[in-house]
């Protein structure tokens, strides 16, 4: 039974960018080194400032990565889903986590110790190359977010964020495309560097135009092309 569990986990790992190119027998061995971490919605895999002792790959659920500013304001840096890796700073030598990882919904992750991951980076060259690509991609993402915060109007930032969430996770429903996990207006404000009031005003305006529908932690894009026009600053009819 345990071998079959490791085989199933290895198949999952083969779809994770960090493990692309790793031989199937090595993946089974790597899966056997992991523990399963299960938490409920609202619980944390780790908190900002905790010792960076583990590296995680999310297999089920949704997690938001957050930081708290010196003034005490929370900032949502990223929402991640199944197949995404997080908490990797310990594997690169950092002593503490720079972010908190909170489950948006009940979530399961595979977890390895940071020491195990450092050893795997040395013995599995594809993982080391993939890790460099992962860090580079995250760096470019952060640069893009910073540029948007500095140069784009807030309505464009909010529109881009909703479109990115739909692109990454959206599912078709009867009246449009739904973001299929709980997300609040406060979450969107924290992701876009603005205020709850501004996000509420924008969403209310877009609802009156039939572009979105939103309820308690639920958002559906009913006219996604109209939101694309806002995000790209195109003329609207």
């Amino acid at each position: 039974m345990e071998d079959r569990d490791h085989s199933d986990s290895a198949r999952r790992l083969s779809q994770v960018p960090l493990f692309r190119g790793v031989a199937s027998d090595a993946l089974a061995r790597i899966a056997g080194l992991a523990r399963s971490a299960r938490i409920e919605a609202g619980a944390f895999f780790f908190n900002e400032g905790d010792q960076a002792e583990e590296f995680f790959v999310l297999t089920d659920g949704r997690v938001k990565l957050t930081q708290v500013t010196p003034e005490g304001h929370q900032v949502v840096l990223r929402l991640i889903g199944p197949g995404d890796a997080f908490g990797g700073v310990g594997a690169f030598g950092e002593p503490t986590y720079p972010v908190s990882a909170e489950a948006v919904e009940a979530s399961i992750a595979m977890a390895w110790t940071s020491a195990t991951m450092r050893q795997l980076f040395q013995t599995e060259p594809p993982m080391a190359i993939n890790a460099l690509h992962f860090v580079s991609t995250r760096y470019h993402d952060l640069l893009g977010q910073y540029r948007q915060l500095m140069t784009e109007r807030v309505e464009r930032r909010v529109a881009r964020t909703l479109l990115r969430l739909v692109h990454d996770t959206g599912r078709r429903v009867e009246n449009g495309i739904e973001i299929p996990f709980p997300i609040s207006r406060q979450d969107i404000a924290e992701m876009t560097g603005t205020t709850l009031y501004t996000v509420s005003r924008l969403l209310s305006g877009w609802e009156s135009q039939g572009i979105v529908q939103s309820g308690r932690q639920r958002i559906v894009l009913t006219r996604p092309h109209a939101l694309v026009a806002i995000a790209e600053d195109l003329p609207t009819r």
Side-chain angles (χ1 to χ4, degrees), residues 99-119:
V99 300
S100 297
E102 179 184 354
V104 176
E105 55 192 17
S107 299
I108 304 172
M110 298 177 70
W112 296 262
T113 67
S114 295
T116 295
M117 292 304 294
R118 285 195 294 272
Q119 183 178 16

Side-chain angles (χ1 to χ4, degrees), residues 121-179:
F121 288 148
Q122 293 175 4
T123 59
E124 297 293 337
M127 285 184 60
I129 295 171
N130 293 338
L132 287 173
H133 179 71
F134 172 84
V135 172
S136 174
T137 299
R138 288 291 182 267
Y139 175 71
H140 283 289
D141 287 347
L142 287 172
L143 285 179
Q145 290 175 17
Y146 179 77
R147 176 184 56 77
Q148 290 174 16
L149 285 172
M150 293 298 101
T151 63
E152 292 187 354
R153 298 193 315 276
V154 65
E155 59 266 36
R156 293 189 67 190
R157 300 203 305 267
V158 174
R160 284 182 186 276
T161 295
L162 294 179
L163 289 168
R164 184 172 65 249
L165 291 173
V166 163
H167 177 269
D168 292 343
T169 68
R171 67 182 177 196
R172 290 279 181 184
V173 293
E174 183 177 353
N175 55 338
I177 307 175
E178 180 184 44
I179 298 173

Side-chain angles (χ1 to χ4, degrees), residues 13-228:
L13 290 182
S14 68
Q15 304 302 312
V16 175
L18 179 65
F19 297 97
R20 284 177 184 158
V22 178
S24 57
D25 58 339
L27 286 175
R29 178 175 60 84
I30 293 167
L33 298 173
R35 73 175 182 91
S36 180
R38 299 169 178 261
I39 65 173
E40 297 302 315
F44 290 80
F45 283 102
F46 52 80
N47 287 283
E48 183 178 351
D50 286 352
Q51 293 297 305
E53 297 175 344
E54 289 189 298
F55 179 98
F56 299 85
V57 169
L58 193 65
T59 56
D60 293 283
R62 195 75 49 181
V63 169
K64 63 179 178 181
L65 304 181
T66 65
Q67 280 185 331
V68 176
T69 69
E71 296 76 24
H73 302 301
Q74 179 175 269
V75 177
V76 177
L77 299 175
R78 192 174 185 85
L79 282 164
I80 63 175
D84 284 329
F86 62 105
V89 293
F92 299 105
E94 293 295 322
T96 60
Y97 294 116
V99 300
S100 297
E102 179 184 354
V104 176
E105 55 192 17
S107 299
I108 304 172
M110 298 177 70
W112 296 262
T113 67
S114 295
T116 295
M117 292 304 294
R118 285 195 294 272
Q119 183 178 16
L120 289 172
F121 288 148
Q122 293 175 4
T123 59
E124 297 293 337
M127 285 184 60
I129 295 171
N130 293 338
L132 287 173
H133 179 71
F134 172 84
V135 172
S136 174
T137 299
R138 288 291 182 267
Y139 175 71
H140 283 289
D141 287 347
L142 287 172
L143 285 179
Q145 290 175 17
Y146 179 77
R147 176 184 56 77
Q148 290 174 16
L149 285 172
M150 293 298 101
T151 63
E152 292 187 354
R153 298 193 315 276
V154 65
E155 59 266 36
R156 293 189 67 190
R157 300 203 305 267
V158 174
R160 284 182 186 276
T161 295
L162 294 179
L163 289 168
R164 184 172 65 249
L165 291 173
V166 163
H167 177 269
D168 292 343
T169 68
R171 67 182 177 196
R172 290 279 181 184
V173 293
E174 183 177 353
N175 55 338
I177 307 175
E178 180 184 44
I179 298 173
F181 57 88
I183 183 167
S184 68
R185 295 184 176 194
Q186 183 64 44
D187 289 332
I188 296 170
E190 292 167 1
M191 294 177 70
T192 54
T194 188
T195 64
L196 173 60
Y197 170 80
T198 298
V199 170
S200 296
R201 176 178 57 81
L202 287 171
L203 289 181
S204 295
W206 292 343
E207 283 190 87
S208 68
Q209 298 173 56
I211 296 173
V212 303
Q213 290 182 358
S214 64
R216 182 173 175 79
Q217 297 195 334
R218 180 178 183 271
I219 296 177
V220 177
L221 305 192
T222 49
R223 292 174 55 208
H225 292 297
L227 205 62
V228 170

